Amino acid sequence: FEYAQTAVKLGVSDYVMKPVDVPAMCRTLRGIKDELDAQFHRENEVEELRRRIQEDSQLALHGKILRYVRRRISSRQFLEELPQTLAESAFCLCGLLQLDRFDHLTGGMPEEEIFRLTQELEAVMLEQADESGMQVIEESNGRYLLLFYGKAEADVAFAARSYIRRLRMSITGHDYTTAVSAVFPSIDRCPEAYDMAMQTLERAFLVGVNQDVEPEADKQAAGLPDTFDVSRVVRTIATFDKEAIRREFDAIEQDIR
């Protein structure tokens, strides 16, 4: 009886009587193997189902974020059913990563090769990402949205800078430019952060490619004045002094460059 109790506790599947009947024992072992294989298969199916649900949830979240930063859904719609870490974030920062000369790089390239290129890049970006405080979202034409969020302003800014530095050390085969916004209070202000990052990226291309630009340094690096002294230009033109007018417009052209 004690043997029977122990067998039940151990999850016995079958038993073999002495003297051992070899064919019967083989049948028993095959039955146990088939049972274990079926259990393994069921566990794999459950795990695959979980993975697909997670991927679908992540794709749905990325779609929602993109629609919101592009102002296609309202703040109320965006905040509905957000993951807890994202919904409770007090600060956010948007970054953009653009593969330089993407159209030229992929012109004439087979779609499978373009897919392989972007998949390799995304693999590195996701490997370096902190899943608890950021999202890496593919947009189009070699551009990616990097959304950083958290409960402390300094932590969000540090996470963005650290991530971009890690990418520079990890992505060596492609030229790309990154631009980030300032840190904004409240996750529902990410459309403003996205707009700032987009403007920073556009201005970054005026001074070159393959660089990392922050909004504070961006305007100074680009050398673009906020406004021209229009009254001074008008006064110069009014003198009809061709040399002075030429110098004035040369100065404006230099500023633009």
Side-chain angles (χ1 to χ4, degrees):
F1 180 71
E2 291 180 1
Y3 286 128
Q5 282 184 318
T6 303
V8 170
K9 290 178 181 178
L10 293 175
V12 65
S13 297
D14 206 338
Y15 64 91
V16 178
M17 300 290 292
K18 291 183 179 180
V20 175
D21 183 339
V22 174
M25 186 171 186
C26 288
R27 287 195 298 272
T28 299
L29 292 175
R30 276 197 297 269
I32 294 173
K33 177 182 178 301
D34 291 342
E35 184 178 337
L36 291 174
D37 286 345
Q39 180 180 348
F40 180 75
H41 182 67
R42 287 194 300 272
E43 289 175 354
N44 279 351
E45 285 184 334
V46 171
E47 186 61 31
E48 178 66 15
L49 182 59
R50 286 176 180 164
R51 186 185 66 80
R52 289 184 179 179
I53 291 173
Q54 185 176 11
E55 286 182 354
D56 289 345
S57 299
Q58 192 74 348
L59 286 173
L61 175 61
H62 287 178
K64 175 184 276 192
I65 292 172
L66 283 177
R67 289 194 301 275
Y68 183 55
V69 298
R70 295 168 180 171
R71 292 178 167 81
R72 294 178 183 171
I73 60 174
S74 67
S75 175
R76 180 184 59 78
Q77 291 172 306
F78 172 66
L79 294 173
E80 288 177 351
E81 298 181 7
L82 278 182
Q84 186 175 0
T85 54
L86 190 56
E88 295 179 353
S89 296
F91 297 92
C92 71
L93 177 154
C94 279
L96 291 169
L97 183 149
Q98 174 67 61
L99 278 172
D100 294 334
R101 297 179 288 272
F102 182 77
D103 291 338
H104 176 75
L105 178 68
T106 58
M109 184 183 290
E111 288 189 10
E112 306 83 47
E113 190 69 15
I114 296 174
F115 180 76
R116 184 191 62 79
L117 169 69
T118 55
Q119 287 296 298
E120 288 178 356
L121 179 63
E122 286 177 36
V124 177
M125 295 173 69
L126 291 173
E127 181 182 350
Q128 298 300 328
D130 178 4
E131 295 182 0
S132 64
M134 74 168 296
Q135 298 288 332
V136 178
I137 307 172
E138 182 179 8
E139 289 199 70
S140 60
N141 298 323
R143 189 173 71 215
Y144 295 84
L145 167 62
L146 313 173
L147 177 62
F148 300 86
Y149 47 89
K151 295 184 178 181
E153 180 178 3
D155 290 346
V156 172
F158 178 78
R161 294 192 189 98
S162 299
Y163 178 72
I164 289 171
R165 282 197 296 269
R166 292 198 302 273
L167 284 186
R168 280 295 171 195
M169 292 186 288
S170 303
I171 302 176
T172 57
H174 306 290
D175 289 344
Y176 64 90
T177 295
T178 67
V180 297
S181 71
V183 179
F184 282 75
S186 179
I187 191 65
D188 62 357
R189 294 188 63 186
C190 56
E192 298 171 62
Y194 180 80
D195 289 345
M196 179 180 285
M198 186 67 75
Q199 292 165 7
T200 303
L201 184 67
E202 290 171 353
R203 288 198 295 265
F205 288 134
L206 294 175
V207 293
V209 294
N210 199 31
Q211 57 181 322
D212 304 311
V213 185
E214 296 185 11
E216 295 81 3
D218 166 61
K219 190 174 293 186
Q220 180 180 357
L224 290 175
D226 291 330
T227 59
F228 294 115
D229 188 345
V230 178
S231 61
R232 188 190 67 199
V233 175
V234 171
R235 287 196 302 271
T236 303
I237 294 173
T239 65
F240 295 98
D241 184 338
K242 292 182 180 179
E243 186 62 25
I245 294 171
R246 185 185 63 78
R247 286 197 302 270
E248 190 69 48
F249 280 96
D250 283 348
I252 293 174
E253 183 180 5
Q254 186 63 35
D255 282 340
I256 293 173
R257 288 180 178 177

